[in-house]
């Protein structure tokens, strides 16, 4: 059995024959820690095939998932923030905007567009958390308002996909005004009997939750999304009590009547198009 015994210790592969595994081939789920091929993870709508953890994704993924053949017309693609307050923290606000635009390839924290979803015409506004925490500034409010205007003009259903840390502090009162602005436009949709579906994803908090995210004819969410106004730590320190288990999760919010249903991202397109077809 000498052939079964390793005579030499260690690995003696010459350096020139070693091969490094290319980056990006594998995805490790932050929830269950299991490994999945990146390609399989993408085909599974960026959800873990082992525990169904929904990875945080941006507007590019949602548009690809929802619009037929990823064909859509983007609205107000070049709208960018000004600096009405001449705000400076660790850097000037315009410099922060430019740096974030260069890093993310986005103009601001929301993108809007119209196209077909399973042959149903729809207008979609989708937020991007990577752009200053998906914060709601004047551009976010304006782009959503204009998307609603397009929906009104063309009598097409409106889908809002929210993912935000709340108001953009660099714009102070200008940011808070977007709550009233978008809510007023949504009231016009209601008057015209045009469906509005609000999809809350992880996380949806702050002024976004306090305005357009919770004003849908149907308020729906992805599994285990964080939904709330203030964060759990702030609430705990304010009331001086421990919070219930699962507090501010989509399941907790659904149980207490603030959501209509929770939908898996893999089923999102079919569920939404079926719902809109029934509402015609």
């Amino acid at each position: 059995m000498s052939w079964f015994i390793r005579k030499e210790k260690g690995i003696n592969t010459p350096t020139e024959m070693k091969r490094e595994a290319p980056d990006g081939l594998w995805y490790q789920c932050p929830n269950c820690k299991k490994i999945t091929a990146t390609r399989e993870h993408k085909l599974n709508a960026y959800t873990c095939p082992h525990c169904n953890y929904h990875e945080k994704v941006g507007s590019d993924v949602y548009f690809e998932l929802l619009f037929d053949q990823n064909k859509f017309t983007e609205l107000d693609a070049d709208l960018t923030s000004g600096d009405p307050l001449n705000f400076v923290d660790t850097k000037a606000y315009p410099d922060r905007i430019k740096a974030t635009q260069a890093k993310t390839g986005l103009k601001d924290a929301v993108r809007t567009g119209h196209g077909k979803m399973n042959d149903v015409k729809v207008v979609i506004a989708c937020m991007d958390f990577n752009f200053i925490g998906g914060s709601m500034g004047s551009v976010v409010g304006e782009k959503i308002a204009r998307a609603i205007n397009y929906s009104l003009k063309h009598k097409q259903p409106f889908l809002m996909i929210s993912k935000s840390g709340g108001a953009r502090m660099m714009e102070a009162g200008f940011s808070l005004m977007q709550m009233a602005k978008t809510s007023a436009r949504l009231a016009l949709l209601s008057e015209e009997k045009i469906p509005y579906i609000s999809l809350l994803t992880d996380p949806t908090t702050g002024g976004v939750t306090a305005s357009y995210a919770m004003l849908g004819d149907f308020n729906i969410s992805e599994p285990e999304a964080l939904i709330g106004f203030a964060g759990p730590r702030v609430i705990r320190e304010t009331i001086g009590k421990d919070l219930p288990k699962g507090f501010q999760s989509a399941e907790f919010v659904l149980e207490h009547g603030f959501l209509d249903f929770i939908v898996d991202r893999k089923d999102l397109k079919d569920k939404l198009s079926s719902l809109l077809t029934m509402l015609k």
Side-chain angles (χ1 to χ4, degrees):
M1 296 292 288
S2 60
W3 57 269
F4 190 72
I5 300 172
R6 176 176 289 180
K7 295 182 178 180
E8 297 182 19
K9 295 182 178 180
I11 299 173
N12 298 314
T13 305
T15 302
E16 63 272 11
M17 296 183 66
K18 292 180 180 179
R19 295 290 183 268
E20 295 291 338
D23 291 334
L25 286 180
W26 305 100
Y27 165 81
Q28 183 176 30
C29 175
N31 183 52
C32 69
K33 308 303 180 184
K34 292 184 178 179
I35 304 294
T36 307
T38 300
R39 183 174 180 274
E40 182 183 353
H41 184 239
K42 181 179 179 180
L43 292 174
N44 212 42
Y46 296 91
T47 64
C48 178
H50 306 289
C51 68
N52 203 37
Y53 173 78
H54 282 50
E55 181 72 19
K56 295 178 178 65
V57 295
S59 57
D60 55 336
V61 172
Y62 283 107
F63 284 175
E64 184 178 357
L65 286 173
L66 296 176
F67 284 121
D68 295 343
Q69 292 82 49
N70 199 23
K71 294 180 179 178
F72 63 94
T73 302
E74 189 164 356
L75 300 170
D76 306 299
D78 296 321
L79 203 62
T80 58
S81 292
D83 185 21
L85 302 177
N86 298 314
F87 189 91
V88 180
D89 47 26
T90 54
K91 64 173 68 175
Y93 183 41
D95 294 338
R96 187 177 298 279
I97 290 290
K98 290 177 183 177
T100 308
Q101 288 175 340
K103 181 180 179 180
T104 63
L106 301 166
K107 292 294 184 180
D108 213 280
V110 72
R111 290 174 67 208
T112 56
H114 63 89
K116 290 184 177 180
M117 181 173 62
N118 284 340
D119 290 326
V120 178
K121 290 183 178 180
V122 64
V123 182
I124 301 177
C126 182
M127 303 190 73
D128 282 281
F129 194 80
N130 286 338
F131 198 99
I132 314 182
S135 51
M136 178 183 63
S138 53
V139 167
V140 169
E142 181 65 18
K143 290 186 73 169
I144 293 172
R146 292 187 187 189
I148 295 171
N149 284 346
Y150 186 93
S151 181
L152 284 164
K153 181 178 180 180
H154 297 275
K155 307 294 183 184
Q156 294 179 8
F158 180 59
L159 169 64
M160 182 72 228
I161 304 174
S162 297
K163 186 188 298 283
S164 174
R168 186 170 298 177
M169 294 298 99
M170 300 84 161
E171 297 187 22
F174 289 92
S175 174
L176 297 178
M177 281 187 239
Q178 309 313 310
M179 298 169 64
K181 178 180 181 177
T182 52
S183 298
R185 296 295 173 90
L186 289 172
L188 298 178
L189 275 183
S190 180
E191 290 177 6
E192 294 297 321
K193 310 297 183 186
I194 297 173
Y196 166 43
I197 299 175
S198 177
L199 171 63
L200 292 81
T201 68
D202 185 33
T204 300
T205 61
V208 170
T209 307
S211 56
Y212 53 82
M214 281 295 187
L215 293 176
D217 298 312
F218 289 90
N219 294 327
I220 65 177
S221 174
E222 292 182 340
E224 298 183 0
L226 172 66
I227 300 169
F229 181 66
R233 178 182 57 81
V234 174
I235 297 174
R236 190 183 299 109
E237 291 176 356
T238 301
I239 65 175
K241 295 180 179 179
D242 289 331
L243 302 173
K245 186 178 180 180
F247 179 68
Q248 293 186 321
S249 68
E251 290 72 15
F252 185 92
V253 176
L254 174 67
E255 183 181 344
H256 289 78
F258 287 92
L259 288 177
D260 292 293
F261 58 89
I262 294 172
V263 58
D264 192 295
R265 190 183 296 155
K266 297 182 289 295
D267 304 323
L268 184 59
K269 183 175 182 177
D270 289 337
K271 288 282 183 70
L272 289 174
S273 57
S274 296
L275 179 59
L276 291 176
T277 300
M278 288 189 290
L279 294 174
K280 282 185 177 180

